[in-house]
Structures are given as C-alpha cells and as structure tokens.
Amino acid sequence: MRWRATRVPWVADFRDPWIPLAFRRPPTQWHRARQRELERRVLESADRLTAATRTHAEVLARALGPERADRVEHAPNGFEPMD
C-alpha cells in the first residue's frame, strides 16, 4: 500500500471498462490519449482494482502485468444465492 494522507487503501472499482467503452467514445485522438493516460495512472496507483466481469478483470490484470495482476478482483454485480 502506498502512503496517503488518509492511510486508507484505495480500491478503484471498474463497473464498466474505461477505455474502450463502446457506447461512449472520446471525441478526438487527444481526448482518447488523455483518457488512456488517466486510466493508466489509476491502474498503477490503486491498491486494489475490482471489475464487474471476469473478462474485464482479466484485461486489467494483463494491463498491470504478472507482477501486479494479483491486485485485481472480480466483484460481480447483483446477488446470486448459489454463489
């Protein structure tokens, strides 16, 4: 955990993919590059990351690389009584 003023771990919760979000595309290449940079900074600085789908969790884990992939957790939406 990186030290922060609050000393509280930061969990970045990805309910939807940031880049690429199919139904909401950045208007210009500059905007796309800026959004990718912001996403990268979140991935690198968050103590843990959650994703609503296993596929997205795998994408985030690959983006982090094998040495940091264990920071990603699958946290599905909804309630499944059989789980």
Side-chain angles (χ1 to χ4, degrees):
M1 177 177 84
R2 297 171 71 185
W3 186 86
R4 291 185 183 82
T6 62
R7 297 180 187 250
V8 175
W10 176 28
V11 177
D13 182 30
F14 285 87
R15 294 291 90 195
D16 294 304
W18 190 336
I19 298 289
L21 186 56
F23 60 86
R24 190 174 184 183
R25 297 194 186 282
T28 68
Q29 288 293 67
W30 182 89
H31 289 91
R32 179 179 300 282
R34 181 69 176 137
Q35 291 298 314
R36 285 192 189 282
E37 172 62 18
L38 291 170
E39 180 185 50
R40 184 192 64 76
R41 289 171 60 186
V42 168
L43 294 178
E44 290 179 357
S45 60
D47 296 301
R48 289 278 188 201
L49 299 134
T50 61
T53 67
R54 289 191 194 283
T55 302
H56 190 204
E58 291 166 2
V59 167
L60 294 173
R62 279 194 304 274
L64 287 170
E67 66 282 349
R68 296 182 296 166
D70 63 341
R71 293 177 19 213
V72 180
E73 299 289 335
H74 172 228
N77 287 325
F79 171 73
E80 296 292 333
M82 297 301 291
D83 285 349

